[in-house]
Short mmCIF file of all heavy atoms in Angstrom, two decimals:
data_model
loop_
_atom_site.label_atom_id
_atom_site.label_comp_id
_atom_site.label_asym_id
_atom_site.label_seq_id
_atom_site.Cartn_x
_atom_site.Cartn_y
_atom_site.Cartn_z
N MET A 3 -44.52 16.40 23.38
CA MET A 3 -43.12 16.01 23.42
C MET A 3 -42.45 16.20 22.02
O MET A 3 -42.46 15.31 21.23
CB MET A 3 -42.86 14.63 23.95
CG MET A 3 -43.93 13.65 23.33
SD MET A 3 -43.65 11.99 23.78
CE MET A 3 -45.34 11.42 23.75
N ALA A 4 -42.14 17.43 21.82
CA ALA A 4 -41.49 17.73 20.47
C ALA A 4 -39.99 17.52 20.59
O ALA A 4 -39.40 17.95 21.55
CB ALA A 4 -41.85 19.06 20.06
N MET A 5 -39.52 16.89 19.58
CA MET A 5 -38.07 16.71 19.60
C MET A 5 -37.39 18.04 19.36
O MET A 5 -37.64 18.71 18.30
CB MET A 5 -37.68 15.72 18.52
CG MET A 5 -38.35 14.39 18.74
SD MET A 5 -37.39 13.04 18.05
CE MET A 5 -38.23 11.66 18.68
N SER A 6 -36.67 18.48 20.33
CA SER A 6 -36.07 19.79 20.17
C SER A 6 -35.01 19.80 19.05
O SER A 6 -34.81 20.78 18.36
CB SER A 6 -35.44 20.22 21.48
OG SER A 6 -34.64 19.18 21.98
N LYS A 7 -34.34 18.73 18.94
CA LYS A 7 -33.25 18.70 18.00
C LYS A 7 -33.69 17.83 16.77
O LYS A 7 -34.29 16.75 17.00
CB LYS A 7 -31.99 18.10 18.57
CG LYS A 7 -31.37 19.07 19.58
CD LYS A 7 -30.12 18.42 20.16
CE LYS A 7 -29.54 19.36 21.21
NZ LYS A 7 -28.37 18.69 21.79
N LEU A 8 -33.33 18.31 15.64
CA LEU A 8 -33.54 17.45 14.49
C LEU A 8 -32.52 16.30 14.53
O LEU A 8 -31.51 16.41 15.20
CB LEU A 8 -33.32 18.30 13.24
CG LEU A 8 -34.38 19.35 12.96
CD1 LEU A 8 -34.03 20.17 11.71
CD2 LEU A 8 -35.74 18.64 12.74
N SER A 9 -32.84 15.33 13.82
CA SER A 9 -31.97 14.17 13.84
C SER A 9 -30.52 14.57 13.67
O SER A 9 -30.08 15.10 12.71
CB SER A 9 -32.37 13.17 12.71
OG SER A 9 -32.40 13.92 11.51
N GLU A 10 -29.83 14.29 14.75
CA GLU A 10 -28.41 14.64 14.67
C GLU A 10 -27.65 13.72 13.80
O GLU A 10 -28.17 12.63 13.46
CB GLU A 10 -27.81 14.51 16.13
CG GLU A 10 -28.20 15.63 17.00
CD GLU A 10 -27.61 15.51 18.37
OE1 GLU A 10 -26.41 15.84 18.54
OE2 GLU A 10 -28.28 15.08 19.29
N PRO A 11 -26.55 14.10 13.38
CA PRO A 11 -25.76 13.22 12.47
C PRO A 11 -25.29 11.96 13.20
O PRO A 11 -24.15 11.80 13.53
CB PRO A 11 -24.55 14.08 12.06
CG PRO A 11 -24.45 15.16 13.16
CD PRO A 11 -25.88 15.35 13.64
N ILE A 12 -26.29 11.13 13.48
CA ILE A 12 -25.94 9.95 14.19
C ILE A 12 -25.23 8.98 13.28
O ILE A 12 -25.47 8.91 12.07
CB ILE A 12 -27.26 9.23 14.74
CG1 ILE A 12 -27.94 10.22 15.64
CG2 ILE A 12 -26.89 7.97 15.45
CD1 ILE A 12 -29.29 9.73 16.09
N ARG A 13 -24.36 8.22 13.86
CA ARG A 13 -23.58 7.24 13.08
C ARG A 13 -24.62 6.09 12.72
O ARG A 13 -24.84 5.21 13.62
CB ARG A 13 -22.45 6.70 13.92
CG ARG A 13 -21.17 7.38 13.54
CD ARG A 13 -20.06 6.51 14.05
NE ARG A 13 -18.79 7.06 13.83
CZ ARG A 13 -17.69 6.46 14.20
NH1 ARG A 13 -17.76 5.25 14.80
NH2 ARG A 13 -16.50 6.99 13.93
N ARG A 14 -25.05 6.12 11.60
CA ARG A 14 -25.98 5.04 11.24
C ARG A 14 -25.22 3.80 10.85
O ARG A 14 -25.70 2.64 10.87
CB ARG A 14 -26.79 5.48 10.01
CG ARG A 14 -27.91 6.42 10.44
CD ARG A 14 -28.88 6.65 9.31
NE ARG A 14 -29.75 7.68 9.64
CZ ARG A 14 -30.56 8.27 8.73
NH1 ARG A 14 -30.45 7.93 7.48
NH2 ARG A 14 -31.42 9.19 9.07
N GLY A 15 -23.99 3.98 10.49
CA GLY A 15 -23.21 2.86 10.16
C GLY A 15 -21.93 3.28 9.53
O GLY A 15 -21.70 4.53 9.20
N ALA A 16 -21.06 2.34 9.29
CA ALA A 16 -19.80 2.70 8.65
C ALA A 16 -19.54 1.71 7.55
O ALA A 16 -20.04 0.65 7.52
CB ALA A 16 -18.75 2.61 9.70
N CYS A 17 -18.69 2.15 6.68
CA CYS A 17 -18.27 1.29 5.57
C CYS A 17 -17.73 0.02 6.13
O CYS A 17 -16.82 0.07 6.96
CB CYS A 17 -17.25 2.07 4.72
SG CYS A 17 -16.61 0.98 3.49
N PRO A 18 -18.24 -1.13 5.67
CA PRO A 18 -17.75 -2.39 6.24
C PRO A 18 -16.34 -2.68 5.75
O PRO A 18 -15.72 -3.63 6.23
CB PRO A 18 -18.72 -3.42 5.64
CG PRO A 18 -19.37 -2.74 4.47
CD PRO A 18 -19.33 -1.27 4.76
N ILE A 19 -15.89 -1.90 4.82
CA ILE A 19 -14.55 -2.15 4.27
C ILE A 19 -13.51 -1.38 4.95
O ILE A 19 -12.48 -1.87 5.49
CB ILE A 19 -14.51 -1.85 2.73
CG1 ILE A 19 -15.61 -2.61 2.03
CG2 ILE A 19 -13.13 -2.12 2.18
CD1 ILE A 19 -15.47 -4.12 2.11
N CYS A 20 -13.73 -0.05 5.08
CA CYS A 20 -12.73 0.76 5.69
C CYS A 20 -13.25 1.53 6.91
O CYS A 20 -12.53 2.25 7.55
CB CYS A 20 -12.20 1.77 4.63
SG CYS A 20 -13.43 3.00 4.15
N ALA A 21 -14.53 1.30 7.25
CA ALA A 21 -15.11 1.83 8.50
C ALA A 21 -15.25 3.39 8.40
O ALA A 21 -15.41 4.04 9.44
CB ALA A 21 -14.26 1.46 9.69
N LYS A 22 -15.18 3.91 7.24
CA LYS A 22 -15.48 5.33 7.14
C LYS A 22 -16.98 5.55 7.07
O LYS A 22 -17.73 4.74 6.78
CB LYS A 22 -14.86 5.89 5.86
CG LYS A 22 -13.36 6.04 5.98
CD LYS A 22 -12.81 6.65 4.67
CE LYS A 22 -11.27 6.70 4.73
NZ LYS A 22 -10.73 7.18 3.50
N PRO A 23 -17.37 6.82 7.31
CA PRO A 23 -18.82 7.09 7.25
C PRO A 23 -19.39 6.80 5.88
O PRO A 23 -18.74 6.97 4.90
CB PRO A 23 -18.89 8.66 7.54
CG PRO A 23 -17.59 8.99 8.19
CD PRO A 23 -16.54 8.01 7.69
N LEU A 24 -20.61 6.34 5.90
CA LEU A 24 -21.27 5.96 4.63
C LEU A 24 -21.57 7.18 3.77
O LEU A 24 -21.79 8.28 4.26
CB LEU A 24 -22.60 5.21 4.96
CG LEU A 24 -22.41 3.97 5.77
CD1 LEU A 24 -23.78 3.31 5.87
CD2 LEU A 24 -21.38 3.02 5.20
N VAL A 25 -21.56 6.91 2.50
CA VAL A 25 -21.93 7.94 1.56
C VAL A 25 -23.22 7.39 0.90
O VAL A 25 -23.25 6.36 0.39
CB VAL A 25 -20.86 8.13 0.50
CG1 VAL A 25 -21.35 9.09 -0.58
CG2 VAL A 25 -19.65 8.73 1.18
N ASP A 26 -24.26 8.29 0.94
CA ASP A 26 -25.52 7.84 0.41
C ASP A 26 -25.43 7.21 -0.95
O ASP A 26 -26.07 6.21 -1.25
CB ASP A 26 -26.47 9.10 0.34
CG ASP A 26 -27.82 8.72 0.88
OD1 ASP A 26 -27.91 7.84 1.77
OD2 ASP A 26 -28.77 9.34 0.46
N LYS A 27 -24.65 7.87 -1.79
CA LYS A 27 -24.58 7.41 -3.15
C LYS A 27 -24.00 6.03 -3.29
O LYS A 27 -24.28 5.26 -4.19
CB LYS A 27 -23.66 8.38 -3.93
CG LYS A 27 -23.67 8.12 -5.41
CD LYS A 27 -22.80 9.20 -6.08
CE LYS A 27 -22.66 8.88 -7.56
NZ LYS A 27 -21.70 9.78 -8.21
N PHE A 28 -23.22 5.65 -2.32
CA PHE A 28 -22.52 4.35 -2.39
C PHE A 28 -22.96 3.41 -1.31
O PHE A 28 -22.28 2.42 -1.12
CB PHE A 28 -21.01 4.55 -2.35
CG PHE A 28 -20.48 5.42 -3.45
CD1 PHE A 28 -20.06 6.67 -3.23
CD2 PHE A 28 -20.41 4.90 -4.77
CE1 PHE A 28 -19.61 7.44 -4.24
CE2 PHE A 28 -19.97 5.74 -5.78
CZ PHE A 28 -19.53 7.01 -5.54
N ARG A 29 -24.01 3.72 -0.69
CA ARG A 29 -24.45 2.81 0.43
C ARG A 29 -24.46 1.37 -0.14
O ARG A 29 -24.85 1.13 -1.22
CB ARG A 29 -25.84 3.27 0.87
CG ARG A 29 -25.75 4.32 1.89
CD ARG A 29 -27.07 4.38 2.61
NE ARG A 29 -28.15 4.66 1.73
CZ ARG A 29 -29.40 4.87 2.10
NH1 ARG A 29 -29.71 4.88 3.39
NH2 ARG A 29 -30.41 5.11 1.23
N PRO A 30 -24.15 0.44 0.75
CA PRO A 30 -23.69 0.70 2.20
C PRO A 30 -22.20 0.86 2.33
O PRO A 30 -21.66 0.44 3.22
CB PRO A 30 -24.17 -0.55 2.88
CG PRO A 30 -23.95 -1.61 1.78
CD PRO A 30 -24.21 -0.95 0.48
N PHE A 31 -21.62 1.53 1.33
CA PHE A 31 -20.16 1.78 1.47
C PHE A 31 -19.92 3.24 1.38
O PHE A 31 -20.78 4.06 1.28
CB PHE A 31 -19.48 1.05 0.25
CG PHE A 31 -19.80 -0.41 0.20
CD1 PHE A 31 -20.78 -0.88 -0.69
CD2 PHE A 31 -19.27 -1.29 1.07
CE1 PHE A 31 -21.11 -2.20 -0.78
CE2 PHE A 31 -19.60 -2.65 1.01
CZ PHE A 31 -20.52 -3.06 0.10
N CYS A 32 -18.67 3.57 1.48
CA CYS A 32 -18.24 4.95 1.51
C CYS A 32 -17.79 5.43 0.20
O CYS A 32 -17.74 6.62 -0.13
CB CYS A 32 -17.18 5.19 2.59
SG CYS A 32 -15.56 4.57 2.00
N SER A 33 -17.55 4.47 -0.73
CA SER A 33 -17.07 4.89 -2.03
C SER A 33 -17.24 3.67 -2.95
O SER A 33 -17.51 2.58 -2.48
CB SER A 33 -15.61 5.27 -1.92
OG SER A 33 -14.86 4.12 -1.58
N ARG A 34 -17.08 4.00 -4.16
CA ARG A 34 -17.22 2.95 -5.16
C ARG A 34 -16.14 1.89 -5.06
O ARG A 34 -16.25 0.73 -5.30
CB ARG A 34 -17.16 3.51 -6.62
CG ARG A 34 -17.59 2.45 -7.52
CD ARG A 34 -17.86 2.92 -8.89
NE ARG A 34 -17.93 1.68 -9.71
CZ ARG A 34 -17.32 1.57 -10.82
NH1 ARG A 34 -16.72 2.56 -11.34
NH2 ARG A 34 -17.52 0.42 -11.50
N ARG A 35 -15.00 2.35 -4.59
CA ARG A 35 -13.89 1.43 -4.42
C ARG A 35 -14.20 0.39 -3.43
O ARG A 35 -13.95 -0.80 -3.58
CB ARG A 35 -12.66 2.26 -4.02
CG ARG A 35 -11.43 1.48 -4.08
CD ARG A 35 -10.23 2.37 -3.86
NE ARG A 35 -9.09 1.59 -3.33
CZ ARG A 35 -8.86 1.43 -2.09
NH1 ARG A 35 -9.63 2.12 -1.20
NH2 ARG A 35 -7.92 0.77 -1.60
N CYS A 36 -14.76 0.83 -2.30
CA CYS A 36 -15.10 -0.09 -1.29
C CYS A 36 -16.16 -1.04 -1.72
O CYS A 36 -16.14 -2.24 -1.39
CB CYS A 36 -15.44 0.65 0.00
SG CYS A 36 -14.08 1.36 0.89
N ALA A 37 -17.10 -0.51 -2.51
CA ALA A 37 -18.15 -1.37 -3.02
C ALA A 37 -17.55 -2.46 -3.91
O ALA A 37 -17.91 -3.62 -3.90
CB ALA A 37 -19.13 -0.55 -3.80
N ASP A 38 -16.51 -2.01 -4.67
CA ASP A 38 -15.90 -2.96 -5.48
C ASP A 38 -15.13 -4.06 -4.71
O ASP A 38 -15.20 -5.19 -5.10
CB ASP A 38 -14.85 -2.23 -6.41
CG ASP A 38 -15.37 -2.01 -7.78
OD1 ASP A 38 -16.59 -2.19 -7.98
OD2 ASP A 38 -14.56 -1.72 -8.69
N VAL A 39 -14.48 -3.60 -3.71
CA VAL A 39 -13.73 -4.61 -2.86
C VAL A 39 -14.69 -5.60 -2.30
O VAL A 39 -14.42 -6.80 -2.32
CB VAL A 39 -13.10 -3.83 -1.72
CG1 VAL A 39 -12.54 -4.81 -0.72
CG2 VAL A 39 -11.95 -2.93 -2.23
N ASP A 40 -15.89 -5.12 -1.82
CA ASP A 40 -16.85 -6.03 -1.23
C ASP A 40 -17.35 -6.98 -2.30
O ASP A 40 -17.54 -8.16 -2.10
CB ASP A 40 -17.95 -5.24 -0.61
CG ASP A 40 -18.90 -6.13 0.15
OD1 ASP A 40 -18.48 -6.59 1.22
OD2 ASP A 40 -19.99 -6.51 -0.38
N LEU A 41 -17.58 -6.41 -3.46
CA LEU A 41 -18.15 -7.22 -4.57
C LEU A 41 -17.21 -8.34 -4.90
O LEU A 41 -17.55 -9.51 -5.07
CB LEU A 41 -18.38 -6.35 -5.75
CG LEU A 41 -19.02 -7.09 -6.96
CD1 LEU A 41 -20.41 -7.55 -6.60
CD2 LEU A 41 -19.03 -6.20 -8.16
N ASN A 42 -15.89 -7.97 -4.93
CA ASN A 42 -14.91 -9.00 -5.26
C ASN A 42 -14.84 -10.09 -4.26
O ASN A 42 -14.80 -11.27 -4.58
CB ASN A 42 -13.53 -8.36 -5.39
CG ASN A 42 -13.39 -7.63 -6.68
OD1 ASN A 42 -14.00 -8.05 -7.72
ND2 ASN A 42 -12.58 -6.59 -6.71
N ARG A 43 -14.97 -9.69 -3.00
CA ARG A 43 -14.96 -10.72 -1.91
C ARG A 43 -16.15 -11.63 -2.08
O ARG A 43 -16.06 -12.82 -1.97
CB ARG A 43 -15.07 -10.00 -0.56
CG ARG A 43 -13.82 -9.41 -0.12
CD ARG A 43 -14.04 -8.85 1.31
NE ARG A 43 -12.90 -8.08 1.74
CZ ARG A 43 -12.91 -7.44 2.89
NH1 ARG A 43 -13.91 -7.49 3.69
NH2 ARG A 43 -11.86 -6.79 3.20
N TRP A 44 -17.27 -10.95 -2.36
CA TRP A 44 -18.51 -11.74 -2.52
C TRP A 44 -18.45 -12.71 -3.70
O TRP A 44 -18.79 -13.86 -3.54
CB TRP A 44 -19.64 -10.74 -2.73
CG TRP A 44 -20.99 -11.33 -2.56
CD1 TRP A 44 -21.62 -11.61 -1.38
CD2 TRP A 44 -21.88 -11.74 -3.58
NE1 TRP A 44 -22.84 -12.13 -1.65
CE2 TRP A 44 -23.06 -12.23 -2.94
CE3 TRP A 44 -21.84 -11.79 -4.98
CZ2 TRP A 44 -24.10 -12.73 -3.66
CZ3 TRP A 44 -22.85 -12.30 -5.70
CH2 TRP A 44 -24.04 -12.77 -5.09
N LEU A 45 -17.93 -12.24 -4.80
CA LEU A 45 -17.84 -13.05 -5.95
C LEU A 45 -16.87 -14.25 -5.75
O LEU A 45 -17.23 -15.37 -6.03
CB LEU A 45 -17.37 -12.18 -7.18
CG LEU A 45 -18.42 -11.27 -7.73
CD1 LEU A 45 -17.88 -10.45 -8.84
CD2 LEU A 45 -19.64 -11.99 -8.12
N SER A 46 -15.77 -13.93 -5.20
CA SER A 46 -14.76 -15.00 -4.98
C SER A 46 -15.34 -16.10 -4.10
O SER A 46 -15.02 -17.23 -4.14
CB SER A 46 -13.47 -14.47 -4.45
OG SER A 46 -13.71 -13.71 -3.33
N GLY A 47 -16.22 -15.66 -3.18
CA GLY A 47 -16.80 -16.58 -2.21
C GLY A 47 -17.92 -17.39 -2.92
O GLY A 47 -18.04 -18.58 -2.63
N VAL A 48 -18.59 -16.79 -3.79
CA VAL A 48 -19.69 -17.50 -4.52
C VAL A 48 -19.13 -18.36 -5.57
O VAL A 48 -19.65 -19.45 -5.79
CB VAL A 48 -20.63 -16.44 -5.17
CG1 VAL A 48 -21.61 -17.08 -6.10
CG2 VAL A 48 -21.32 -15.64 -4.07
N TYR A 49 -18.15 -17.90 -6.25
CA TYR A 49 -17.62 -18.74 -7.32
C TYR A 49 -16.96 -20.02 -6.83
O TYR A 49 -16.81 -20.97 -7.53
CB TYR A 49 -16.54 -17.97 -8.12
CG TYR A 49 -17.18 -17.14 -9.20
CD1 TYR A 49 -17.09 -15.75 -9.16
CD2 TYR A 49 -17.93 -17.72 -10.23
CE1 TYR A 49 -17.62 -15.00 -10.17
CE2 TYR A 49 -18.51 -16.95 -11.22
CZ TYR A 49 -18.40 -15.54 -11.15
OH TYR A 49 -18.96 -14.84 -12.14
N ALA A 50 -16.58 -19.99 -5.56
CA ALA A 50 -15.88 -21.14 -4.98
C ALA A 50 -16.84 -22.32 -4.79
O ALA A 50 -16.44 -23.41 -4.90
CB ALA A 50 -15.24 -20.75 -3.68
N LEU A 51 -18.08 -22.02 -4.58
CA LEU A 51 -19.05 -23.05 -4.30
C LEU A 51 -19.52 -23.76 -5.52
O LEU A 51 -19.34 -24.98 -5.67
CB LEU A 51 -20.23 -22.49 -3.52
CG LEU A 51 -19.89 -21.96 -2.19
CD1 LEU A 51 -21.08 -21.30 -1.48
CD2 LEU A 51 -19.33 -23.02 -1.27
N PRO A 52 -20.04 -23.00 -6.52
CA PRO A 52 -20.60 -23.70 -7.74
C PRO A 52 -19.49 -24.48 -8.44
O PRO A 52 -19.74 -25.45 -9.13
CB PRO A 52 -21.08 -22.57 -8.60
CG PRO A 52 -21.23 -21.41 -7.62
CD PRO A 52 -20.24 -21.62 -6.56
N ALA A 53 -18.28 -24.05 -8.30
CA ALA A 53 -17.19 -24.69 -9.00
C ALA A 53 -17.13 -26.19 -8.61
O ALA A 53 -16.85 -27.02 -9.45
CB ALA A 53 -15.89 -24.06 -8.65
N VAL A 54 -17.43 -26.47 -7.41
CA VAL A 54 -17.42 -27.86 -6.91
C VAL A 54 -18.68 -28.62 -7.41
O VAL A 54 -18.61 -29.73 -7.91
CB VAL A 54 -17.38 -27.93 -5.42
CG1 VAL A 54 -17.36 -29.41 -4.95
CG2 VAL A 54 -16.11 -27.24 -4.95
N GLU A 55 -19.79 -27.93 -7.25
CA GLU A 55 -21.04 -28.57 -7.58
C GLU A 55 -21.14 -28.81 -9.09
O GLU A 55 -21.79 -29.76 -9.64
CB GLU A 55 -22.24 -27.69 -7.19
CG GLU A 55 -23.40 -28.54 -6.66
CD GLU A 55 -24.46 -27.61 -6.12
OE1 GLU A 55 -24.12 -26.77 -5.33
OE2 GLU A 55 -25.58 -27.76 -6.56
N ALA A 56 -20.49 -27.92 -9.89
CA ALA A 56 -20.57 -28.02 -11.34
C ALA A 56 -20.04 -29.35 -11.83
O ALA A 56 -20.47 -29.95 -12.73
CB ALA A 56 -19.81 -26.90 -11.95
N GLU A 57 -19.06 -29.82 -11.15
CA GLU A 57 -18.40 -31.10 -11.55
C GLU A 57 -19.37 -32.21 -11.51
O GLU A 57 -19.46 -33.06 -12.43
CB GLU A 57 -17.24 -31.38 -10.61
CG GLU A 57 -15.98 -30.79 -11.13
CD GLU A 57 -14.76 -31.21 -10.30
OE1 GLU A 57 -14.40 -32.36 -10.45
OE2 GLU A 57 -14.31 -30.43 -9.45
N GLY A 58 -20.23 -32.32 -10.51
CA GLY A 58 -21.22 -33.34 -10.44
C GLY A 58 -22.40 -33.10 -11.28
O GLY A 58 -23.23 -33.97 -11.42
N GLU A 59 -22.48 -31.92 -11.80
CA GLU A 59 -23.68 -31.63 -12.59
C GLU A 59 -23.36 -31.44 -14.10
O GLU A 59 -24.10 -30.93 -14.86
CB GLU A 59 -24.33 -30.33 -12.10
CG GLU A 59 -25.88 -30.38 -12.30
CD GLU A 59 -26.51 -29.22 -11.67
OE1 GLU A 59 -26.18 -28.89 -10.47
OE2 GLU A 59 -27.28 -28.59 -12.27
N VAL A 60 -22.19 -31.99 -14.45
CA VAL A 60 -21.86 -31.87 -15.85
C VAL A 60 -22.86 -32.69 -16.67
O VAL A 60 -23.22 -33.81 -16.28
CB VAL A 60 -20.43 -32.44 -16.10
CG1 VAL A 60 -20.12 -32.52 -17.58
CG2 VAL A 60 -19.41 -31.58 -15.34
N GLU A 61 -23.26 -32.17 -17.77
CA GLU A 61 -24.24 -32.87 -18.61
C GLU A 61 -23.76 -34.30 -18.80
O GLU A 61 -22.82 -34.55 -19.48
CB GLU A 61 -24.41 -32.18 -19.91
CG GLU A 61 -25.14 -30.85 -19.75
CD GLU A 61 -25.28 -30.21 -21.17
OE1 GLU A 61 -25.47 -30.96 -22.12
OE2 GLU A 61 -25.28 -29.01 -21.21
N SER A 62 -24.47 -35.23 -18.20
CA SER A 62 -24.07 -36.62 -18.34
C SER A 62 -24.14 -37.10 -19.81
O SER A 62 -25.19 -37.60 -20.20
CB SER A 62 -24.89 -37.50 -17.42
OG SER A 62 -26.23 -37.17 -17.61
N ALA A 63 -23.17 -36.74 -20.55
CA ALA A 63 -23.25 -37.12 -21.99
C ALA A 63 -23.20 -38.62 -22.16
O ALA A 63 -22.29 -39.26 -21.67
CB ALA A 63 -22.05 -36.54 -22.69
N PRO A 64 -24.21 -39.20 -22.75
CA PRO A 64 -24.31 -40.62 -22.94
C PRO A 64 -23.27 -41.08 -23.98
O PRO A 64 -22.95 -42.23 -24.11
CB PRO A 64 -25.74 -40.87 -23.43
CG PRO A 64 -26.11 -39.53 -24.04
CD PRO A 64 -25.35 -38.43 -23.37
N THR A 65 -22.83 -40.19 -24.79
CA THR A 65 -21.86 -40.60 -25.87
C THR A 65 -20.45 -40.29 -25.40
O THR A 65 -19.92 -39.30 -25.74
CB THR A 65 -22.22 -39.86 -27.15
OG1 THR A 65 -22.34 -38.45 -26.80
CG2 THR A 65 -23.45 -40.36 -27.80
N GLN A 66 -19.97 -41.22 -24.66
CA GLN A 66 -18.59 -40.98 -24.17
C GLN A 66 -17.71 -41.91 -25.00
O GLN A 66 -17.02 -42.81 -24.50
CB GLN A 66 -18.44 -41.39 -22.68
CG GLN A 66 -18.14 -40.10 -21.94
CD GLN A 66 -17.89 -40.39 -20.51
OE1 GLN A 66 -18.35 -41.41 -20.01
NE2 GLN A 66 -17.22 -39.53 -19.81
N ALA A 67 -17.73 -41.75 -26.33
CA ALA A 67 -16.94 -42.60 -27.17
C ALA A 67 -15.50 -42.10 -27.27
O ALA A 67 -14.93 -42.08 -28.36
CB ALA A 67 -17.63 -42.67 -28.53
N VAL A 68 -15.00 -41.75 -26.15
CA VAL A 68 -13.60 -41.34 -26.26
C VAL A 68 -12.68 -42.41 -25.64
O VAL A 68 -12.68 -42.57 -24.49
CB VAL A 68 -13.37 -40.01 -25.47
CG1 VAL A 68 -12.01 -39.53 -25.50
CG2 VAL A 68 -14.35 -38.93 -26.00
N PRO A 69 -12.02 -43.06 -26.49
CA PRO A 69 -11.09 -44.20 -25.99
C PRO A 69 -10.05 -43.62 -25.02
O PRO A 69 -9.58 -42.50 -25.28
CB PRO A 69 -10.49 -44.74 -27.22
CG PRO A 69 -10.64 -43.66 -28.31
CD PRO A 69 -11.85 -42.88 -27.89
N PRO A 70 -9.72 -44.46 -24.02
CA PRO A 70 -8.80 -43.99 -23.05
C PRO A 70 -7.36 -44.00 -23.58
O PRO A 70 -6.47 -44.50 -22.95
CB PRO A 70 -8.98 -44.99 -21.94
CG PRO A 70 -9.51 -46.21 -22.57
CD PRO A 70 -10.25 -45.74 -23.75
N HIS A 71 -7.23 -43.54 -24.83
CA HIS A 71 -5.81 -43.50 -25.35
C HIS A 71 -5.19 -42.16 -24.92
O HIS A 71 -5.83 -41.16 -24.73
CB HIS A 71 -5.90 -43.57 -26.84
CG HIS A 71 -6.07 -44.99 -27.35
ND1 HIS A 71 -5.04 -45.90 -27.24
CD2 HIS A 71 -7.11 -45.58 -27.91
CE1 HIS A 71 -5.50 -47.05 -27.73
NE2 HIS A 71 -6.72 -46.91 -28.16
N GLY A 72 -3.92 -42.26 -24.84
CA GLY A 72 -3.18 -41.07 -24.42
C GLY A 72 -3.32 -39.97 -25.55
O GLY A 72 -3.71 -40.28 -26.67
N PRO A 73 -2.94 -38.76 -25.21
CA PRO A 73 -3.04 -37.71 -26.21
C PRO A 73 -2.04 -37.89 -27.30
O PRO A 73 -0.98 -38.31 -27.15
CB PRO A 73 -2.67 -36.44 -25.39
CG PRO A 73 -1.88 -36.96 -24.22
CD PRO A 73 -2.40 -38.39 -23.94
N GLU A 74 -2.53 -37.71 -28.52
CA GLU A 74 -1.66 -37.94 -29.64
C GLU A 74 -0.51 -36.98 -29.71
O GLU A 74 -0.73 -35.82 -29.59
CB GLU A 74 -2.48 -37.77 -30.89
CG GLU A 74 -3.25 -39.02 -31.15
CD GLU A 74 -3.94 -39.04 -32.55
OE1 GLU A 74 -3.32 -39.05 -33.55
OE2 GLU A 74 -5.22 -38.95 -32.54
ZN1 ZN B 113 -14.97 2.42 2.61
#
């Protein structure tokens, strides 16, 4: 059973950003622009989480000798 046809240009996937055919060089996107878009989405989503956790993980400085006086 020999495959008569070589792998046809099957749609292996599409750019998750604009749904265009993928470009090998920019996989899994179709262009660098789309890769950038996805990266930005990813970063904004990631940065949103640590931002909250960071507050509770601030180096508990034992020397809090800052009097609660208003700003001069
Ligand atoms: Zn794209």
Side-chain angles (χ1 to χ4, degrees):
M3 38 177 154
M5 300 207 172
S6 50
K7 288 181 185 176
L8 289 177
S9 50
E10 284 182 78
I12 301 173
R13 261 198 184 181
R14 283 189 189 167
C17 174
I19 305 299
C20 67
K22 281 184 186 175
L24 301 184
V25 172
D26 225 28
K27 188 178 173 184
F28 300 108
R29 273 196 304 184
F31 305 101
C32 73
S33 66
R34 190 168 168 224
R35 191 169 152 268
C36 283
D38 258 18
V39 172
D40 187 76
L41 182 67
N42 282 330
R43 282 186 190 176
W44 195 78
L45 287 180
S46 51
V48 169
Y49 275 118
L51 296 175
V54 179
E55 218 175 308
E57 273 187 72
E59 213 173 311
V60 173
E61 289 183 33
S62 47
T65 47
Q66 249 187 335
V68 180
H71 278 290
E74 279 188 66

